[in-house]
Amino acid sequence: MSKPDLGIMYGDEGLKNTKKLLHKFGAAERLVWSGARVGIKPNLVLPSPAEKGATTDPEIVAGIIEYIKNYSPAEITIMEGSWVGSETEQAFQTCGYVDLAEKYGVKLKNLKNDGIQTLSGGKDVYKICAGVLEQDILINVPVLKAHCQTKLTCALKNLKGCIPDSEKRRFHREGLHRPIAALDQIIQTDLVVVDGIYGDLTFEEGGNPVKMNRIIAGLDPVLVDSYAARLMALEPGDVGYLKRAAAKRGVDTSLSEAHVQEFNTPVDQVSLRENSSRLAAELSDKYINGKAACSACYGNLIYALYRLKSNGALNSFSDKIYIGQDYRGQKMEGPGIGSCTAEFSRNLEGCPPEACEIMEFLKNDVL
Ligand code: SF4
């Protein structure tokens, strides 16, 4: 059977699940890292621990390092340039990367102190941190989260940490979408591993984390972002830079041709209140009747509800939506999300259904 375009592993054990995911995805057969310089680019936008929803879980990066070292010697550097106003060194420290680097004997590179190369992307030229371009293999390890201006930040937008601060300011002046799409033409990403254990519902800075319990692997950042958008109840066409990057690469963002493989099932059980931000808890209290729902399913429902609420579609909705494993086999009136509520009068199949699908189901069959 052919290797998948995207691989998904559910769960919150970053180290163990990343290694399993990369093994099942066949990363070692697809990339040659023997003796290579391997750059790992997490999202350390600011000094904030991963469970707040803004930064990459160091356990996932540890999983990548252990996986690579298991196959071959490689010169590994973790690299980042935090956003304007944050010190990368502090982010390395707070997010656990100083300890990580020491434990595995890998380098940390603050891209804010790096040399610069100027390269063209489309009609414009861009300044890129030289250390990124010196790598033989670049592994992009973004967080799955919302962005206040671009709606989504995942693989493509994570490359913004590979440019100097002056260029970051310029990207904002230019409206972000065009220059972010151009970066995809300039910086070659070889592998993407998305930290979707905690996503953030509203903002790239974290603060409204939602436990999503999944890690995603892919070779093509446009395909990865197209899948990520759907997990956040967005259509890829809603995200300007994704639409542009897809057009430049000729990638079909509908994923209809893509081979997406889930390597396990989302069988964990969490309290809906546990692990929830205030905003997620409010949505949960008001609209959800959950019993032993998996985080992956629950997180998708929260994203769908948040998107509907933002559009005003929930203004007159006062029913409850049912979700969770304890509803298995129960015949009940009302809307049920996921295969566990298959016997409900209105049901959306899937284990878990995507946030986009949940949003359509609620819009068409429930509201
Ligand atoms: S359908 Fe049921 S088992 Fe599947 S993810 Fe949802 S709650 Fe979990």
Side-chain angles (χ1 to χ4, degrees), residues 104-319:
Y104 290 104
V106 302
K107 292 186 217 156
L108 288 179
K109 184 183 263 290
N110 178 356
L111 293 174
K112 290 197 192 217
N113 299 335
D114 204 21
I116 288 167
Q117 284 196 37
T118 302
L119 296 168
S120 63
K123 293 180 190 145
D124 292 309
V125 291
Y126 295 94
K127 292 182 184 138
I128 311 293
C129 298
V132 177
L133 304 169
E134 286 160 6
Q135 304 306 309
D136 300 311
I137 292 173
L138 182 64
I139 304 178
N140 185 349
V141 198
V143 181
L144 172 70
K145 56 184 174 173
H147 188 273
C148 60
Q149 292 169 74
T150 59
K151 297 182 180 168
L152 168 78
T153 170
C154 195
L156 291 168
K157 198 177 160 301
N158 192 35
L159 295 181
K160 192 161 154 277
C162 301
I163 56 176
D165 279 1
S166 58
E167 204 71 340
K168 291 182 187 124
R169 292 191 192 93
R170 172 187 159 193
F171 271 39
H172 282 276
R173 285 197 301 278
E174 294 182 358
L176 291 174
H177 294 288
R178 187 172 53 82
I180 288 172
L183 267 193
D184 180 49
Q185 302 277 296
I186 300 171
I187 300 175
Q188 159 87 29
T189 297
D190 297 287
L191 173 66
V192 183
V193 182
V194 180
D195 175 0
I197 295 179
Y198 282 96
D200 197 90
L201 197 54
T202 56
F203 198 30
E204 67 275 25
E205 202 176 344
N208 277 305
V210 179
K211 201 162 195 212
M212 300 286 279
N213 264 7
R214 70 198 82 195
I215 306 168
I216 303 158
L219 300 182
D220 181 333
V222 172
L223 271 191
V224 170
D225 277 9
S226 303
Y227 184 77
R230 294 181 62 79
L231 293 177
M232 301 183 69
L234 295 166
E235 286 297 335
D238 295 340
V239 183
Y241 66 78
L242 177 53
K243 209 162 124 186
R244 284 171 184 262
K248 285 184 181 173
R249 279 177 177 251
V251 172
D252 175 10
T253 58
S254 75
L255 301 176
S256 59
E257 303 287 314
H259 175 190
V260 180
Q261 192 168 356
E262 294 164 309
F263 295 120
N264 63 354
T265 52
V267 289
D268 67 309
Q269 297 178 28
V270 292
S271 150
L272 294 188
R273 295 304 302 255
E274 200 186 321
N275 305 315
S276 292
S277 67
R278 181 190 52 75
L279 186 52
E282 279 171 15
L283 288 167
S284 177
D285 285 348
K286 199 160 178 192
Y287 300 111
I288 301 177
N289 245 338
K291 287 187 183 172
C294 300
S295 309
C297 219
Y298 165 71
N300 288 359
L301 175 56
I302 289 289
Y303 271 100
L305 286 171
Y306 176 70
R307 202 70 59 205
L308 289 167
K309 191 169 169 57
S310 307
N311 298 340
L314 296 180
N315 289 350
S316 56
F317 181 67
S318 57
D319 281 355

Side-chain angles (χ1 to χ4, degrees), residues 266 293-294 297 324-325 328 338-340 350-352:
C294 300
C297 219
Q325 298 174 66
R328 273 194 191 128
S339 305
C340 291
C351 181

